[in-house]
């Protein structure tokens, strides 16, 4: 949101620029999990590549390193992913590759469908900021299974993001 000082110097062309070059939005935990699942349904990959692919395919979206790690930890605790080391010729040390367990492919596809619907949904448009940050509710129009997984994420979020002490 623009401050009063910014509004005083802002003109209508500045507002048009906002729509032409929307600000970057960061995904919350739920959407990050869905993004990771979408990528891992296609192929095993390493965390940094997941971040790069998001920027490439959805230039207006980003995932923070903290949320990425929380999403990976969540999926690991759920038994949805495993990891292994893969040596790459262009690197000195092996990369930590993530692998989606076959047992969760059906659930993952269901969440990816919801993710893709979210990307296209005008009321959840990234410009609006709805559903992007932790604490938001992305559970509208989900299947029962999606709702169960979303509820689990809410519980996990409470464990991953402890309330600040007073």
């Amino acid at each position: 949101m623009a401050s009063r000082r910014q509004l005083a110097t802002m003109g209508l062309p500045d507002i048009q620029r906002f729509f032409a070059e929307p600000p970057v939005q960061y995904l919350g935990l739920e959407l990050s999990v869905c993004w990771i699942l979408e990528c891992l349904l296609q192929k095993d990959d390493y965390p940094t590549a997941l971040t790069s692919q998001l920027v490439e395919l959805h230039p207006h979206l980003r995932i923070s390193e903290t949320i990425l790690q929380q999403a990976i930890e969540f999926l690991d605790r759920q038994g949805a992913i495993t990891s292994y080391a893969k040596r790459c010729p262009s690197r000195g040390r092996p990369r930590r590759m993530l692998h989606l367990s076959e047992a969760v492919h059906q659930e993952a596809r269901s969440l990816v469908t919801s993710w893709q619907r979210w990307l296209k949904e005008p009321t959840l448009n990234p410009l609006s900021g709805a559903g992007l940050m932790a604490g938001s509710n992305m559970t509208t129009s989900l299947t029962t299974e999606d709702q169960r997984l979303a509820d689990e994420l809410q519980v996990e979020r409470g464990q991953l993001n402890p309330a600040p002490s007073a």
Side-chain angles (χ1 to χ4, degrees), residues 35-142:
W35 168 247
I36 293 168
L37 291 173
E38 181 177 38
C39 292
L40 295 181
L41 276 167
Q42 296 171 26
K43 66 178 179 120
D44 292 1
D45 222 332
Y46 57 99
T48 306
L50 300 174
T51 303
S52 299
Q53 288 172 36
L54 180 66
V55 171
E56 183 179 315
L57 294 174
H58 306 285
H60 59 284
L61 298 176
R62 298 288 186 280
I63 184 171
S64 73
E65 188 65 33
T66 301
I67 295 293
L68 176 67
Q69 289 308 315
Q70 288 178 352
I72 290 169
E73 289 170 13
F74 169 78
L75 289 168
D76 187 42
R77 279 194 306 279
Q78 295 293 306
I81 61 171
T82 57
S83 62
Y84 61 93
K86 179 180 179 182
R87 189 169 273 308
C88 300
S90 61
R91 284 178 51 101
R93 61 185 184 145
R95 284 196 166 121
R96 175 184 171 214
M97 301 296 289
L98 303 174
H99 173 76
L100 186 63
S101 302
E102 293 290 326
V104 298
H105 275 225
Q106 183 176 354
E107 288 177 304
R109 282 188 191 95
S110 176
L111 284 172
V112 167
T113 299
S114 295
W115 155 254
Q116 291 169 345
R117 191 175 326 122
W118 177 86
L119 287 170
K120 295 174 186 168
E121 182 65 41
T123 61
L124 295 177
N125 185 304
L127 289 176
S128 72
L132 289 171
M133 297 307 295
S136 63
N137 181 5
M138 71 159 242
T139 59
T140 55
S141 71
L142 296 179

